[in-house]
């Protein structure tokens, strides 16, 4: 009688564990759509091209070069690529990446638009060893 009573006391816990297991198995069924969303956004970001004017010292030449996510060569390239390609692609703006706009927004059901904020700090002198300051200027 005592063992039967102990078995019946653990029954609710067993049922709850079985339900939790089934819910987790059911939720793992969305792995395919999560992969598709991630690869669609990655592919769209890799296709973003931004024309950047070519600079020769202080003057801007009349030609330009195409900058992609894999071809950054200067810090200005990154900012121009983000402002001219990445933000319009992931945000809610219509731009020259119009053909990819609907593609990313079609998969991006959870997050919605992207908001980017830049915070700038003030320039302050650093506490550096005198020999290093002399060497590097």
């Amino acid at each position: 009688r005592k063992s039967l009573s102990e078995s019946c006391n653990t029954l609710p816990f067993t049922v709850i564990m079985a339900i939790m297991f089934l819910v987790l198995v059911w939720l793992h069924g969305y792995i395919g759509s999560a992969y598709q969303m991630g690869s669609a956004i990655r592919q769209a970001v890799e296709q973003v091209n931004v024309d950047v004017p070519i600079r020769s010292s202080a003057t801007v030449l009349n030609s330009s070069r195409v900058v992609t996510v894999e071809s950054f060569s200067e810090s200005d390239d990154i900012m121009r690529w983000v402002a001219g390609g990445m933000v319009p692609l992931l945000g809610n703006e219509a731009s020259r990446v119009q053909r990819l706009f609907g593609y990313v927004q079609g998969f991006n059901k959870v997050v919605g638009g992207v908001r980017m904020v830049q915070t700038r700090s003030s320039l302050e002198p650093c506490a550096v060893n005198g020999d290093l300051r002399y060497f590097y200027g």
Side-chain angles (χ1 to χ4, degrees):
R1 197 148 191 45
K2 187 175 179 180
S3 67
L4 182 61
S5 169
E6 289 175 3
S7 296
C8 289
N9 288 339
T10 61
L11 189 60
F13 178 73
T14 305
V15 170
I16 290 172
M17 289 297 290
I19 291 172
M20 286 176 43
F21 174 76
L22 291 174
V23 167
L24 287 174
V25 167
W26 180 69
L27 289 175
H28 275 80
Y30 292 110
I31 290 174
S33 61
Y35 173 76
Q36 286 177 348
M37 179 179 67
S39 55
I41 292 174
R42 186 190 77 243
Q43 190 176 36
V45 167
E46 289 173 351
Q47 292 177 3
V48 171
N49 299 324
V50 176
D51 291 327
V52 175
I54 296 177
R55 295 181 183 267
S56 173
S57 51
T59 61
V60 177
L61 303 176
N62 289 333
S63 61
S64 64
R65 62 187 172 87
V66 175
V67 174
T68 64
V69 71
E70 297 174 352
S71 67
F72 297 137
S73 61
E74 301 173 4
S75 60
D76 287 345
D77 291 351
I78 296 171
M79 294 307 294
R80 289 178 190 217
W81 182 83
V82 168
M86 183 72 168
V87 171
L89 174 71
L90 297 179
N92 294 322
E93 304 174 19
S95 69
R96 54 191 170 133
V97 289
Q98 184 93 15
R99 63 185 177 83
L100 296 174
F101 175 72
Y103 184 68
V104 172
Q105 290 296 322
F107 280 98
N108 195 6
K109 300 289 185 195
V110 178
V111 178
V114 174
R115 179 177 174 224
M116 293 186 167
V117 178
Q118 180 182 22
T119 305
R120 294 184 182 222
S121 61
S122 60
L123 294 175
E124 296 179 9
C126 297
V128 178
N129 183 338
D131 293 337
L132 288 176
R133 186 179 306 274
Y134 174 75
F135 183 76
Y136 288 106

